[in-house]
Amino acid sequence: MRPDLRLPLGPPALLVCLLAAFMAWLVLGGGALLPWAPRWYVPVHTVLEVFSVVVTVLAFSTGWHGTGRQIPVRVALLAPVALAIGLFDVGHLLLARGLPGMPDAATEAGASVFSLLSRTLGTLALFAAALVPRERVVERQARTLALLAGLVATAAGYWLALDAQPLLRAVRVPGQGPTPFKIGWEAVLIAINLVAALLLAARARDSRLRTDRYLAVAAAAMALGGCGFALCGQHNDVLFVSGHVYKLAAYLFLYGAVHVAAVQAPYLRLMRSERSLLESENKFRSLMECAPDAILLATADGRIAMMNARAEELFGVTRAAAAGMPLEVLVPMGLAADGETECRRLHGAPFPAEVRRAATPAGQHIAIVRDVSERRGLERALLQQLTYDALTGLPNRRRILETLDEATLAARQDGRTLAVLVFDLNAFRKINSGYGWSGGDEVLRECVARLSRQLRIGDTLARQGGNEFIVVQKQSGRAEALALGESLLGCMRDPFVLGGQHVFLSASAGIALLPAEASRLSSTELLQSAQLAMSGARADGPGRLRFHTDEMARVIRERVELETLLRHAMVRGQLTLQYQPRISLTDPAAATRMVGIEALVRWRHPTLGLVSPAYFIPLAEETGLIVELDMWVLREACTRVARWRADGLDPGRVSVNLSARQFQQAGLAQRVRSVLEDSGLHPACLELEITESTVMRDTEEAAEVLRSLKALGVALSIDDFGTGYSSLSYLKRFPIDVLKIDRSFVKDVAEDANGAAITRAIIALAHGLNLEAVAEGVETAAQAEFLRNNGCDEIQGYYFSPPVWPEQLEAMMAEDYFSSPALLK
């Protein structure tokens, strides 16, 4: 038997087994061995029936007087049924002893009908109890309705037993024993009881509740008792008497189930509730004592009734001394809602605190007080860290912008000009590399000292970060700003002493002026203008100074306009794709066979013409448009290749580049799957190219993304391999298919031994990892021959074909251009 079908073990199950064994022994003739005499039948039968009546009445009384406003549905069902069973057994007992004025045959048949009705009602009640949800409860009014129904059923049963002559004759023929009708009825009752017993046993196995176990035993005893009533020869033999014994056992377990459900279970729930309440109170006290905040409990009139140890420590008063003290002595009551205020120690200075208030249903007041003195100090320290540079003590970029806001507002109001200078040390990296970070810090502190000596009263010096400084010069014009800038550059010409050696540095400076008419120029824009001027000065050479000009602003505007045009290009369909063939070198016949193409995005602008990808791709990456651009390229390439394949043209596998930003976006695999499903392209026909630096940024996350893409069935390649910061220990974990050799290695393979060695190593590495090696930027026959001789799988470059428009590629595929003799000679 499977474990999930086993009945629950225990005393009830053991008792059922013993009762079944005893009944089987009686049926098989064991009753003849018992010391039984028919003359004992009347007293034994009377005692058994009296006990049955008493037990059923107890079951009714227990269920009727159960506690609670709601009672279990099985109690509401079984209690009235128990009363009806008891009344039927009273009728059975009276008729079995004979009633004055009634013939013996009628009383004998009536007694049988009463017995049959009581057991039928009990059987149906147990079967119903096995079907109704055990968790369901009903209102107490339902109990009254069930009682009325039980009384009506009792009245109908009495009428049948006393006056329904056809039923009486069908049940028992005097002197002949039970009729076939009665035996059949008994068999039906046995079957119903067995089904109820099995259902209840299954419930007991899952719930482990005594109510279900007792009801299961009651149903089993009723079924076994029915065997005695059905198989007996005479009403006074051993089997007939044993049927009454089993019936009494069933009633006893029925009473036990009602008692557990109506009395014991509610009492246990009450005990558990009291225990839970006590535990909750103890937990509350423990939590209150362990709480890091001060907790004070006050009565409805506002006097302290309880406080925890933290409150004693915080307010400097013991619980005994605080008991009965007004709460407002320690916690001000003027606070309208939760928030910060000043609380008072009983003997000491006030302290800042965060107070939360609450009220209990009984009207008591709860105040939770947290000392925020340390937090206030940390906030001040954090504000210092956020607005001032830790190394130099100067205001940082955030603080200087606030200062600049105030200065620009004052300058506009007074009609004065304002100058902002951005000062940058050139080649500062050599200091950190040669003398360590401590040497760099020493130089920066010396720079601050020199620069500060050049400033006037009212000027502000700040460190923007690294080796870059900002100066805000108030009441300044072009001449004053120029003089300040030259003095700042001049003070940098003196040598710095590091480790006993003289180190010379230079600097670049950019200046932006706030003229009186530039009322709309913000402080951030003014600082950006100075930053741009400084970049221009640095491009001119070391020790230079430049003012911001309109030309610089024009360059910025053009960049913004180009971004707008690029956004419009994606909407207006100005983007298109070119495709560059990838040629296999593995054909022993040296035929030029195309095995794939790479999709390359192009921008055709109506007025600007063909915009170089080198111009707009970095802009798209900087502005975030690259994510949308990547998806457009992927969708367009997949759709185009799927259409070619449907027309009988086979361009091989199409490779599409994924940007770092796209690769880092969540849900990449789902987006690629959607594109493949919409275009109808088989995943094996798509190759996704990811740059080496992208996958090495976060190798764990990159491996997970690559695995999700590989699960789609697409091919994966690492582009520009060897130009980033490769780690072979991580490379072997990536589920990639192709390594693409960067053109910077390919261009020198015929002349440069180092480039050739690196290229051979990459090819060998790829083959060692069971990957394909693809060389980009192949432009000469010598390069192609070198790659073929060293086992490169594929080449791509102008030597064979530049990127071509879709129409050109269609014509080349239609003419079978790629099956012409090889160009490698």
Side-chain angles (χ1 to χ4, degrees), residues 185-199:
W185 195 333
E186 295 284 3
V188 171
L189 293 183
I190 291 171
I192 295 175
N193 277 309
L194 288 176
V195 173
L198 292 174
L199 293 175

Side-chain angles (χ1 to χ4, degrees), residues 90 117 147 199:
V90 169
L117 288 176
L147 177 61
L199 293 175

Side-chain angles (χ1 to χ4, degrees), residues 31 80 124 173 287 384 402 411 506 536 557 612 621 722:
L124 296 177
V173 177
L287 289 174
Q384 178 75 16
E402 296 174 356
S506 62
R557 286 196 300 271
S612 172
E621 291 178 342

Side-chain angles (χ1 to χ4, degrees), residues 296-299 301-304 306 315 322 324-333 344 357 365-367 369:
L296 299 96
L297 180 64
T299 58
D301 59 354
R303 296 192 173 274
I304 298 175
M306 184 186 301
F315 292 102
M325 182 184 299
L327 181 61
E328 60 185 4
V329 171
L330 302 178
V331 183
M333 302 298 291
R344 294 183 290 274
R357 302 178 185 276
H365 302 283
I366 299 176
V369 182

Side-chain angles (χ1 to χ4, degrees), residues 756-773:
I758 293 175
T759 302
R760 289 192 195 96
I762 295 176
I763 295 173
L765 173 65
H767 291 165
L769 295 174
N770 294 321
L771 307 178
E772 298 178 18

Side-chain angles (χ1 to χ4, degrees), residues 13 40 118 127 192 252 281 364 487 524 526 558 603 762 781 805:
W40 298 343
S118 69
F127 186 73
I192 295 175
L252 286 171
E281 183 178 350
Q364 296 174 310
S487 66
T524 302
L526 189 61
E558 287 181 354
W603 179 7
I762 295 176
W805 300 109

Side-chain angles (χ1 to χ4, degrees), residues 391-447:
L391 176 64
T392 63
L394 294 177
N396 60 13
R397 177 184 174 85
R398 178 176 178 176
R399 181 69 185 114
I400 200 63
L401 283 174
E402 296 174 356
T403 302
L404 194 52
D405 283 335
E406 299 169 359
T408 53
L409 179 61
R412 291 191 187 103
Q413 292 173 349
D414 299 339
R416 294 181 283 102
T417 60
L418 178 73
V420 177
L421 293 85
V422 174
F423 184 88
D424 180 75
L425 293 176
N426 297 325
F428 185 74
R429 184 178 300 175
K430 69 180 183 181
I431 301 297
N432 288 328
S433 300
Y435 297 92
W437 294 105
S438 60
D441 293 345
E442 185 177 345
V443 169
L444 290 175
R445 283 192 287 266
E446 176 63 21
C447 284

Side-chain angles (χ1 to χ4, degrees), residues 8-25:
L9 300 177
L14 180 61
L15 178 60
V16 170
C17 294
L18 293 176
L19 291 175
F22 183 71
M23 179 56 69
W25 181 73

